[in-house]
């Protein structure tokens, strides 16, 4: 029994690792950009501008973040695959037009300075970054669509190679821009955009032959999910997932608005985005757990997936503790955020509060994967709505009571994760998966 469990874990890890590399290289981009900005003039303003603009751009990206889940779940049928592609193109056009409107200076500065209460100096830096990132949502949407096709074809290593390419291109752009003394706004935004475009182009060419294939990727088998075949059906399947991500990133953008009104707003706006970017380096490493679940949803007992998630999340949470508490970890932090003692101490405090985030995200992804596997996307939306409401409520109360903004954000984030996981656990159709697994073992 023990040997069988070890064998299962090794198999899941073998499938997971190439996928996670793609997310690790993506998540490492933010600390790398922060490191470059830390060695330029006005690092605190640079951090605040990047933190704000990333929240804003990811808010626009959020409707298509779940495109990978949809592509992985639906691309086994050519009709669904082609309908999803049309849906991707429409989404890209709409999101790009919205960003083009937002980047118009009078509109942008009114939102940043009057709505968010951000200073003119930070707004100016953020505007330069946004001008460079206009194609960000479209690039992410197209990349994630083709990544889903590659995953369902078992080409996980291709995703890893694409991630390494993005990381390398980003590094080269940052070094070049730094040596040429390019403005921090254009350096950050331009490097990030060129990096993600290079990854997208690589993935498109790698998956092109599979996209146009008329053969099915997976053997036909009984499934609980009714496969969407047109734009309307794709929308009905995808809307709850898109709405969930809009809620998540919309809530995190509003969190920036709250932090701008905290008693220590200037330092909170610098500390929280930088720390959260570091946490996501580890947290995003677990996101591909969900793709492993979707692809293998009926091959394993649900408990196997939970044990697997604990093994992934625990390792990464321990690494955050090491980064926070050890002398080596402190040296690494200084490398990424500079030797500003006030920011360094603040970052260490937030990391200590949020060290369990990777474990929470791993468990969250198991539950979401099991729900997506049977088409229960509305349940995911409900859980996300509840957790976002808790996040904003706790943040508002903490900041209203004049507690430190970054500390409030960290505690509120932990509470929201716990609430969301508990709701997801209650919504997963455990009997369905246990029955499917039992039947498969009897064959």
């Amino acid at each position: 029994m023990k040997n069988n469990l070890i064998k299962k874990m090794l198999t899941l890890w073998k499938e997971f690792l190439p996928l996670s590399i793609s997310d690790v290289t993506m998540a490492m981009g933010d600390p790398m950009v922060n490191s470059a900005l830390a060695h330029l003039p006005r690092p605190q303003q640079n951090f605040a501008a990047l933190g704000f603009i990333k929240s804003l751009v990811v808010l626009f990206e959020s409707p298509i973040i779940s495109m990978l889940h949809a592509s992985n779940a639906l691309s086994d049928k050519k009709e669904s695959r082609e309908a999803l592609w049309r849906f991707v193109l429409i989404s890209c056009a709409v999101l790009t037009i919205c960003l083009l409107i937002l980047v118009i200076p009078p509109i942008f500065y009114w939102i940043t300075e009057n709505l968010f209460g951000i200073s003119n100096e930070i707004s100016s830096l953020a505007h330069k970054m946004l001008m460079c990132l206009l194609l960000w949502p479209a690039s992410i949407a197209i990349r994630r669509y083709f990544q889903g096709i590659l995953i369902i074809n078992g080409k996980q290593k291709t995703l890893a190679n694409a991630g390494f390419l993005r990381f390398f291109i980003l590094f080269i752009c940052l070094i070049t821009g730094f040596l040429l003394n390019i403005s921090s706004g254009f350096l950050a935004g331009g490097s990030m955009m060129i990096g993600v475009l290079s990854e997208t182009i690589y993935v498109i060419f790698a998956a092109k032959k599979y996209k146009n294939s008329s053969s099915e990727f997976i053997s036909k088998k009984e499934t609980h999910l009714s496969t969407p075949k047109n734009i309307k059906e794709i929308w009905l399947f995808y809307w709850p997932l898109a709405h969930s991500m809009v809620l998540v990133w919309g809530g995190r953008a509003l969190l920036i608005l709250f932090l701008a009104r905290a008693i220590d707003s200037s330092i909170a706006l610098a500390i929280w985005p930088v720390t959260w970017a570091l946490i996501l380096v580890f947290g995003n490493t677990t996101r591909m757990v969900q793709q492993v679940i979707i692809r293998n949803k009926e091959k394993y007992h649900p408990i196997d997936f939970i044990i697997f998630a604990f093994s992934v999340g625990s390792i990464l949470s321990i690494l955050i503790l090491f980064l926070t508490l050890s002398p080596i970890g402190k040296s690494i932090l200084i490398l990424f955020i500079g030797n500003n003692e006030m920011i360094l101490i603040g970052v260490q405090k937030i990391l200590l509060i949020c060290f369990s985030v990777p474990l929470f995200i791993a468990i969250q992804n198991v539950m979401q994967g099991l729900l997506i596997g049977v088409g229960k996307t509305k349940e995911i939306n409900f859980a996300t709505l509840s957790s976002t409401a808790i996040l904003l409520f706790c943040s508002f109360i903490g900041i209203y009571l004049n507690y430190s903004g970054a500390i409030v954000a960290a505690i509120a984030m932990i509470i929201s994760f716990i609430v969301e996981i508990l709701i997801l656990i209650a919504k997963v159709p455990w009997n369905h998966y246990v029955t499917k697994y039992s039947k498969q073992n009897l064959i």
Side-chain angles (χ1 to χ4, degrees):
M1 187 73 176
K2 183 179 179 180
N3 290 337
N4 189 37
L5 177 62
I6 293 173
K7 185 178 179 181
K8 288 179 179 179
M9 293 302 107
L10 289 174
T11 303
L12 291 171
W13 268 94
K14 185 177 179 180
E15 185 170 338
F16 166 74
L17 281 175
L19 297 176
S20 68
I21 289 172
S22 171
D23 271 341
V24 170
T25 53
M26 177 187 70
M28 278 297 295
D30 286 346
M32 189 185 295
V33 174
N34 286 332
S35 179
L37 296 180
H39 294 86
L40 291 173
R42 302 172 298 168
Q44 187 168 314
Q45 289 79 5
N46 291 335
F47 290 157
L50 181 61
F52 170 73
I53 213 63
K54 277 289 289 183
S55 295
L56 198 63
V57 170
V58 174
L59 175 60
F60 279 85
E61 176 195 339
S62 60
I64 51 80
I65 285 177
S66 295
M67 198 61 69
L68 176 59
H69 317 327
S71 182
N72 191 2
L74 303 178
S75 289
D76 57 323
K77 300 292 190 296
K78 186 180 179 182
E79 195 173 5
S80 297
R81 191 163 69 249
E82 291 177 347
L84 184 61
W85 174 239
R86 293 192 293 272
F87 181 75
V88 168
L89 293 178
I90 293 170
S91 302
C92 290
V94 171
L95 292 171
T96 303
I97 290 170
C98 288
L99 274 181
L100 283 169
I101 294 171
L102 179 62
V103 83
I104 296 172
I107 296 175
F108 180 83
Y109 284 106
W110 183 88
I111 291 173
T112 56
E113 295 177 17
N114 295 324
L115 183 60
F116 282 88
I118 294 174
S119 69
N120 181 264
E121 182 182 17
I122 295 174
S123 296
S124 179
L125 288 170
H127 187 254
K128 292 175 181 177
M129 293 176 187
L130 183 60
M131 285 192 291
C132 297
L133 294 169
L134 292 175
L135 294 178
W136 184 273
S139 298
I140 298 294
I142 294 170
R143 186 201 73 186
R144 293 178 79 78
Y145 169 79
F146 284 102
Q147 281 179 326
I149 292 175
L150 288 169
I151 290 172
I152 209 167
N153 276 277
K155 303 297 180 182
Q156 290 87 343
K157 290 183 179 179
T158 303
L159 271 67
N161 293 336
F164 281 125
L165 174 65
R166 173 179 175 173
F167 186 83
F168 176 74
I169 295 294
L170 175 63
F171 178 76
I172 294 299
C173 288
L174 287 172
I175 291 292
T176 304
F178 185 83
L179 294 175
L180 294 176
N181 202 27
I182 293 175
S183 165
S184 59
F186 291 126
L187 174 65
S191 298
M192 291 164 60
M193 191 69 251
I194 294 171
V196 79
L197 279 174
S198 65
E199 182 184 19
T200 301
I201 293 169
Y202 184 94
V203 169
I204 288 173
F205 279 100
K208 189 176 180 181
K209 63 179 179 180
Y210 302 109
K211 178 183 179 295
N212 298 319
S213 173
S214 60
S215 60
E216 306 301 345
F217 298 146
I218 313 174
S219 59
K220 295 181 179 179
K221 58 182 179 182
E222 180 187 358
T223 178
H224 188 79
L225 178 65
S226 177
T227 308
K229 298 178 177 63
N230 53 51
I231 295 289
K232 181 180 178 181
E233 292 177 358
I234 290 286
W235 172 251
L236 292 174
F237 172 85
Y238 186 75
W239 178 84
L241 296 176
H243 189 242
S244 297
M245 290 296 100
V246 171
L247 286 172
V248 167
W249 293 104
R252 292 175 185 177
L254 286 175
L255 186 58
I256 298 295
L257 187 150
F258 290 173
L259 292 179
R261 286 157 174 78
I263 191 171
D264 56 346
S265 61
S266 178
I267 191 68
L269 283 171
I271 289 174
W272 174 252
V274 169
T275 313
W276 189 244
L278 277 172
I279 292 168
L280 288 184
V281 170
F282 298 92
N284 282 349
T285 303
T286 72
R287 290 196 310 173
M288 287 298 182
V289 165
Q290 187 171 142
Q291 306 312 315
V292 174
I293 305 302
I294 294 172
R295 192 169 186 268
N296 300 283
K297 56 185 179 292
E298 293 171 7
K299 296 179 182 178
Y300 295 84
H301 194 283
I303 297 299
D304 295 331
F305 290 133
I306 294 173
I307 295 172
F308 170 62
F310 266 95
S311 69
V312 173
S314 297
I315 291 172
L316 293 163
S317 290
I318 290 170
L319 286 175
I320 290 183
L321 280 178
F322 174 80
L323 187 66
T324 308
L325 302 174
S326 71
I328 296 175
K330 182 178 179 180
S331 299
I332 294 172
L333 287 178
I334 291 173
L335 178 65
F336 279 113
I337 65 175
N339 201 12
N340 184 312
E341 190 68 20
M342 184 181 296
I343 293 179
L344 179 62
I345 292 172
V347 168
Q348 287 176 317
K349 287 180 180 178
I350 304 306
L351 286 175
L352 196 57
I353 295 170
C354 293
F355 81 92
S356 58
V357 165
L359 178 59
F360 289 151
I361 294 178
I363 298 170
Q364 174 199 55
N365 275 293
V366 170
M367 304 308 157
Q368 289 180 345
L370 292 173
L371 287 166
I372 291 173
V374 292
K376 290 184 175 291
T377 52
K378 290 182 180 179
E379 284 75 2
I380 295 174
N381 188 45
F382 174 75
T384 305
L385 175 61
S386 302
S387 68
T388 303
I390 292 292
L391 170 67
L392 295 178
F393 176 76
C394 292
S395 300
F396 175 80
I397 294 298
I399 289 172
Y400 178 78
L401 294 174
N402 288 331
Y403 287 105
S404 172
I407 298 291
V408 166
I411 294 172
M413 192 67 75
I414 294 298
I415 295 171
S416 70
F417 269 117
I418 293 171
V419 169
E420 182 174 3
I421 289 169
L422 290 175
I423 294 172
L424 290 171
I425 289 172
K427 297 291 184 180
V428 170
W430 299 105
N431 289 337
H432 167 79
Y433 282 109
V434 171
T435 302
K436 286 283 186 182
Y437 176 75
S438 300
K439 286 182 178 178
Q440 188 174 11
N441 280 353
L442 291 174
I443 295 174

